[in-house]
Every structure is written in structure tokens, then in C-alpha cells.
Amino acid sequence: MTRPFFGWLSDVTGRENTMAIAFGMEALAMIAWLYMRHDPLLFVLLSGVVFFGWGEIFSLFPSTLTDTFGTQYATTNYGFLYMSQGVGSVIGGPVAAFVYMIYKSLVPVFVTMISLDVLAAVMALFVLKRYRKSYLHSMRD
């Protein structure tokens, strides 16, 4: 459901705006997740919202990459992008475990995730959008 939904939304609102919406939605869901962690039903329901937001990377990242740099090396470029997700997943677990070991709580792990989601939303609007506009404009000249 995630790929078609965010693909459609990005066609309507633009890639960067949709990224900001998705990352912002994830941050809000994780804030609620954190506060509702003692309620099993709400935790499970909010998990669905969080994972729904996480799925947007599989529709928006490849399309943004191809829209920006073209189709000639799209599979190679996406291979590097997808590889970075794998590296992040390998590094993320030990870093989360280390943070938990220091603080004896998962709350700082969630706060870090929420902060990074907010940062990603802001960067989608104010860094990526500006960069892509400038890059695409320079490619037309």
C-alpha cells in the first residue's frame, strides 16, 4: 500500500513535499508510540503507521533519483542508494544497543529516531528541494 500511496501523493504534491509529509508523519507517530508504549493495542496500531511511513523510501527515493539524474545510470545509482540502506541497518542496531546500554532505556533511542525524522523532513523541504531545483536548472543551461 505504501508505494502506490506515496507515489500518487508525490505526483500531486511533489517529491520533496511528500518526503516531508512522510518523515513528519513518522515523527508524530513515533512520539505517540513513545507515549503509548504501555498500551499494547495502541503500540501495535501505531507500529503500522510508523512502518507505513518508512515504506515511502521504496517509492520516493528511486523516483527522485531518476527524476534528478536521469535514466541512463538509474539502476547503478539506485544500487548505491539501496546499499546505503543496508549499511544503515547494519550500523543502526549496534548503535541503538549502545545507546540503550548507556542510558538503560529505549527512550533515548526513540528520541534520536524522532529527531532524525524531523531533520529529514526539514532537509527534504529546505535542502533537497533547493538542491534539485538548482541542479535541474543547471542541467537545462
Side-chain angles (χ1 to χ4, degrees), residues 46-125:
L46 288 167
S47 295
V49 175
V50 171
F51 289 122
F52 184 77
W54 282 343
E56 61 85 24
I57 63 172
F58 297 107
S59 64
L60 293 180
F61 284 23
S63 57
T64 302
L65 189 68
T66 304
D67 289 351
T68 306
F69 300 110
T71 58
Q72 184 176 6
Y73 297 106
T75 55
T76 302
N77 290 340
Y78 188 63
F80 282 106
L81 183 66
Y82 202 73
M83 187 171 48
S84 68
Q85 293 172 357
V87 170
S89 71
V90 169
I91 293 171
V95 169
F98 182 72
V99 170
Y100 176 79
M101 189 175 69
I102 291 171
Y103 294 101
K104 306 294 186 228
S105 171
L106 286 173
V107 172
V109 175
F110 281 98
V111 169
T112 302
M113 292 166 49
I114 292 164
S115 300
L116 291 173
D117 255 333
V118 170
L119 178 64
V122 169
M123 287 182 70
L125 288 177

